[in-house]
Structure formats: C-alpha cells, structure tokens
Amino acid sequence: MSSSSSALNEELKCSICLDVFTNPVSTPCGHNFCQTCLNECWKNTQKCSCPICKETFSKRPDLKINTTLREVVQHFEKKFNLGDHKTHNTVPIEDETAKKNQLVKTQTDVQQMIQNRMKKIQDIQRSVEMRKRNTEEEKSHSVEEFTDLIRSIERCQTEVVEMLEEKQKAAEKQAEDLIKELEQEITELKRRNCELEQISHTEDHLHLLQIDPSLYSPKNSKNWTEISIDTHVDTLNTALTRLKDTLDQRLGQAVLRRMQQYAVDVTLDPDTAHPKLILSDDGKQVTCGDIRKKLPDKPERFDHCVNVLGKKGFSSGRFYFEVQVKGKTEWDLGVARESINRKGQITVTPVNGFWTVGLRNENEYKARAGPRVSLCVRMKPQKVGVFVDYEEGLVSFYDVESSSHIYSFTGQSFTQTLFPFFGPSLNYNGKNSTPLIITAVSYN
C-alpha cells in the first residue's frame, strides 16, 4: 500500500485499539473511537474524558454511531481491505500506480459523498427552518382570525339577546294593553248587567218599552277568540342562519387573505407563447388572435395548443396570483412543471405535469384532474386566484370576489420548477376575444 494510502488508513483507525473503526462514535469534543473501545474505556467511571484531548464530561454522553464515517470506512474496506495490515514489499510498480490512481478516485468519491450528505443536512435544516417560520405565521394568523370570528359570534350573541329582550318588551306591552282593554270591557259589561238586573225587576211595562234596544247588546264588542299573544320565537333560528352565512363568508375571506400574503409578480413569457397568441407590452394580458405569427420554433414554445407560461418559475415555498376572466366563454388557468410537452396535442392532467381548472361553453367549469371533475360554483367567477404550496403538494383555486373555494389538487408530489399556466382558448370569431388579465392583488 502507498504512503498516501497508509496515511488515509491511519485516519480511519481508532486511537484506542489502533485498528480500523468498528461502529465509530463521536465524543462532544469531536474525536472518533470504536463504540466498544470507548465504552470499555469509560466502564465503571462516573466522569468520562476523551482519550485524546482529555476533555472531561460531567455527564456521560449519549453516544450515537457516526453513520457517515462508518460508510466511509466500509467503502475503503471494500476497495483496499483496510483491515489487512500485512506489508507487501514486492508490489509491482504498475500495481502501485494503479492503486494510487484508485485511491485518488476513491478519495474524490468519498469527498463527494461527504459533500452530498452535508448538502442534504443543509436542505433538511432549511426545510425545518422554513416549516418553523410558516408554522409561526400560521399560528399568528390563526389567532387573529379566530379572535375576529369570536368577536363576530359575540356581536351576534349580543344582537340576539337584545332582539329577544325587545320582542319580550313588545309582547309584554301588547299584553298590558289588551288586558287594560279587557278590564274596561268587563267594567262596562258589569255596569250593563246591573242595569239589566234592575230593569228585570220593574213592573212598569211602559218603561220597559221605552228602554233603548242597544242596552240589550254590547257596543263594538271584539271577537277576543281571534286575538292572542304571539308565543312563537324564531329569532334564534334566524340569527343562527345569518351567523352561519356570516361565518362562511368570513372564513372564506380569512383563507383568501392568507393566500394573498404570498402574492408574486407574474408576467407572461413570450418565448413560450403559441404563435396565435397576442401578449400585451407589459406581459400582463393575453388573448388569441386569428393570424399565426411567424416566430422561431423554440423548444419551450407551444406550437399546437394556444397556451403560454409565466416567465418566473417556483421550486419551493408558496406563491399566489390572480387572473381576471370576466367576459370570457373559455379559459384555462393553473400551473405546469418545467418538463411538460409543448409540441402537438397536449393532454392537460397532473400526470402530464398540469394542474388546472377551466371554463367551457360559457358556464361549464371543470378541474382537469384526469378524469375531469365538474365544478359547482355559486356565481360566475370574474377573477380567479391561484395558490400553490410546493412542499405540501397543494394547488388551490378561489373565486376572489366571493372569497369562495373553487377546487384544490391535494397530495401532489412536486420535484420540478412550477410555472404559472394560461390558456385563453381560441377566439371563436370574437366570441371569446376578451383577454386573460393578470391583476395586482388587492387584499380583502
């Protein structure tokens, strides 16, 4: 074995047993030893110290196997049989050169392995940090939204209580007035009854004939059987129905506001636009014309389907954009991965890298989920919001004006850059000439 190989061999040896590492573990001070060797060295001791730098640890460390170092050792053992310490004094020069070359290659491979693992650790750490930031934001937004909703419920409760109290006061006033009127009628009836009682005992027949006939029947007597106090209280049901509608609206607004916080500036990429498409100078509007322009047939350009992508792609995090679809009879919106097929006939489905919803025949809304899913919308969307959470595998669509959810693709696995996708559809002799317009997000 060459001197450089021997040096590397020494680096991969335990300083206690002087042999190649077996299940290497790392101490808090950064030195490595065989797990068995270090355990034996620390056997029956309260305070442990590093056999190399002598740093003392007040508490026995919880030793974990250094998997990266173990993989490096195993890799070298396979190539050089590091456990074989016999010397070979008669190694041919050609073999030694080959060994050196192989060693250099192996060292490069190991360094690459180490770099890849370090990069993976960094990716995981970034992902955890991003998740932590997102969680804190979600917690903050959730507290705000639930506090707002609780206030709405409390206001509704106060209104219901006040309304019930007002209705009770009105019912009590009505009852009081009716009772007063009834008592007046009773007094009048008693008076008449006394008069009739006196007249019934008279023997003066002429006087009987002269009595006013109206005395025998009460004047303006009400039919009290038709009069009652309303005991049916439907205020609570009405209030709860109104509260439900309010909460649905508020929840929709809350969700949409949360999406809108991730708004990005989207412009159209002319290099991807089908030759019939007409893009505005600012890259915010697209419609389909009647003439196919002569443009370079670039690999990224759609040549059959009248589609166009956004300039900027996204490979992590969350993003949101809004598109005005008012006045159109057909359109498609969503996102597409970078490697989609852009030539010839295209099947727009998640399997092929498209996550979109669209309109056909003026009022048929569908999600292109493969197979298509018919969508039921409460009102015709004038502006559509598109939200993507890359890590969660989520693509959602919202009716911006009504703050209502249209459709979501969930549980997707994104591994490529995603681009905003726009399909204004054909012109149809001016029937569908209104452009798709990327609008600035106006926070609700």
Side-chain angles (χ1 to χ4, degrees), residues 273-289:
H274 184 277
K276 274 192 174 184
L277 293 183
I278 302 172
L279 276 58
S280 62
D281 293 338
D282 62 358
K284 297 293 185 179
Q285 301 185 28
V286 58
T287 188
C288 185

Side-chain angles (χ1 to χ4, degrees), residues 209-222:
L209 293 174
Q210 293 176 342
I211 294 174
D212 187 352
S214 64
L215 183 63
Y216 298 105
S217 60
K219 296 179 181 179
N220 302 322
S221 179
K222 285 186 178 181

